[in-house]
Structure formats: C-alpha cells, structure tokens
Amino acid sequence: MNTLSHLHIAHHIMSAQITPGRTIIDATAGNGHDLLFCAKKLFAHDDTGHLFAIDIQPEAITASKEKLTAQFPHLIDTHIHFFCQSHAPLPIPPTPPSLIIYNLGYLPGTDKSITTLLESTKQSLEQALSILAVDGVISLMLYPGHAEGETEAAFLLQTLPNLPREFFKIYTYHSLFADQTPTLVLIQKRKTLESQIALS
C-alpha cells in the first residue's frame, strides 16, 4: 500500500509545516529529494522563506545543489543555503525553523561505511529541539538495517519518550510485520524551552 509508506506519511506531515516565509532545515540532505519537495512548497508563491541543506559528504551537496539550481537558480545562496559539514552543530537560521528533517544512515548509492553517527546525531537533535519553532516538527527517519543505524535507532527510541510532555508531542510509525524496517519519528514542539534538552 503505497499510501502508507514512510515517505508518503513523512511528506504529508512536512507539507503542513511548509508555508511561505518559513525556515526549513534538512540536516541530512542526501541526494536532495526532500529538499526539492520542500523548495517547491516553500517557494510556490514567494521567495521570502529560507531552506538550509546540510550534508557531510561533498557528493551529496553537489547532487542536491544541482537539483535545486535547475529549478530555483535565483534563490541559491540567498534563500537556499548549502553547508558541507556535519549536522552537529546546525547552522543558526534567521528565524526558528518550522521543520527540521533527518534521514539517518548512509547516502544511497555510495560507500555504506560512511553513516550518520550516534554522538553527532544526539548533539544535533539536542540543538534542533532547542531552536525549533513552537508548533514546529522534527521529522526523523531511523534506518536500523545496518550496525550504526541500529545503534542510533535503539538509543533514540529509548530516549525520546523521556522528553518532557509539557514541551513535546512524539509520534512513531513502524511496520509491525517486518524487522529492521525504517521507523518514522515525528516530534512536535508545544512551547518554548527554558534551556537546552540533554538526550541521555
């Protein structure tokens, strides 16, 4: 059932967070598919929003930039910003982001030994929870089908439910009939934090 795929549900939730003038961060840009989806909605009516693309691998930034330049050449570096770096720390956006996207794991079609790592992912998420706008959403796709992904997923699925309920709502989507399939985690911020959250 394609309508229940992790990607379809993630994009459905993302859509509600993407309106003109908002700030969006893709913390793991990869090949740019989510970036292009976001850009088409963010810049559908005006050019006032900001889209941040982050990836530690140069080939990912190159692929992402090519996709976005082909459709939005006038917005590159002014409203669409590329950062070839780790997602920890996140660049500081001009306004609190309404959406922060993570697709953990490795870049499809490249060296599978190069993956996101638990320590930097944890640091990045701690910052993301702090800078996220009230009513904003973090979309977090976990891929436990490889060793580091399993470590990340196990830690986050155990730790995230401990976030204070007065500040966050958390939802998960996962197939009960298959092992090591992706898990989509959605975190919505309910009100402003007084201090940065520590994930432990």
Side-chain angles (χ1 to χ4, degrees), residues 32 35-36 39 51 61-77 80-82:
L35 279 172
L36 187 58
L51 181 60
I61 292 297
T62 297
S64 295
K65 197 165 189 176
E66 287 176 355
K67 279 187 175 67
L68 275 294
T69 301
Q71 297 200 34
F72 304 96
H74 60 297
L75 300 179
I76 302 301
D77 297 330
I80 302 175
H81 315 273
F82 293 89

Side-chain angles (χ1 to χ4, degrees), residues 43-177:
F43 304 117
H45 304 293
D46 64 45
D47 301 340
T48 60
H50 288 272
L51 181 60
F52 285 66
I54 304 162
D55 205 287
I56 201 168
Q57 297 195 65
E59 56 265 47
I61 292 297
T62 297
S64 295
K65 197 165 189 176
E66 287 176 355
K67 279 187 175 67
L68 275 294
T69 301
Q71 297 200 34
F72 304 96
H74 60 297
L75 300 179
I76 302 301
D77 297 330
T78 57
H79 291 271
I80 302 175
H81 315 273
F82 293 89
F83 298 86
C84 188
Q85 63 174 64
S86 170
H87 53 208
L90 295 170
I92 302 301
T95 60
S98 63
L99 176 65
I100 304 176
I101 304 164
Y102 292 87
N103 283 291
L104 303 183
Y106 51 82
L107 180 64
T110 64
D111 186 351
K112 294 183 179 181
S113 68
I114 303 175
T115 72
T116 53
L117 301 172
L118 175 57
E119 190 56 36
S120 58
T121 294
K122 183 168 75 75
Q123 293 172 10
S124 183
L125 273 173
E126 288 172 347
Q127 184 185 358
L129 292 167
S130 178
I131 67 172
L132 186 68
V134 173
D135 294 325
V137 168
I138 296 172
S139 174
L140 181 63
M141 195 76 78
L142 310 179
Y143 291 94
H146 58 100
E148 186 63 27
E150 185 175 5
T151 299
E152 287 180 312
F155 175 83
L156 293 172
L157 291 174
Q158 181 179 10
T159 303
L160 291 176
N162 297 326
L163 290 174
R165 296 185 181 185
E166 66 269 30
F167 291 101
F168 300 102
K169 294 180 180 178
I170 304 175
Y171 306 87
T172 61
Y173 179 77
H174 176 81
S175 172
L176 296 178
F177 297 105

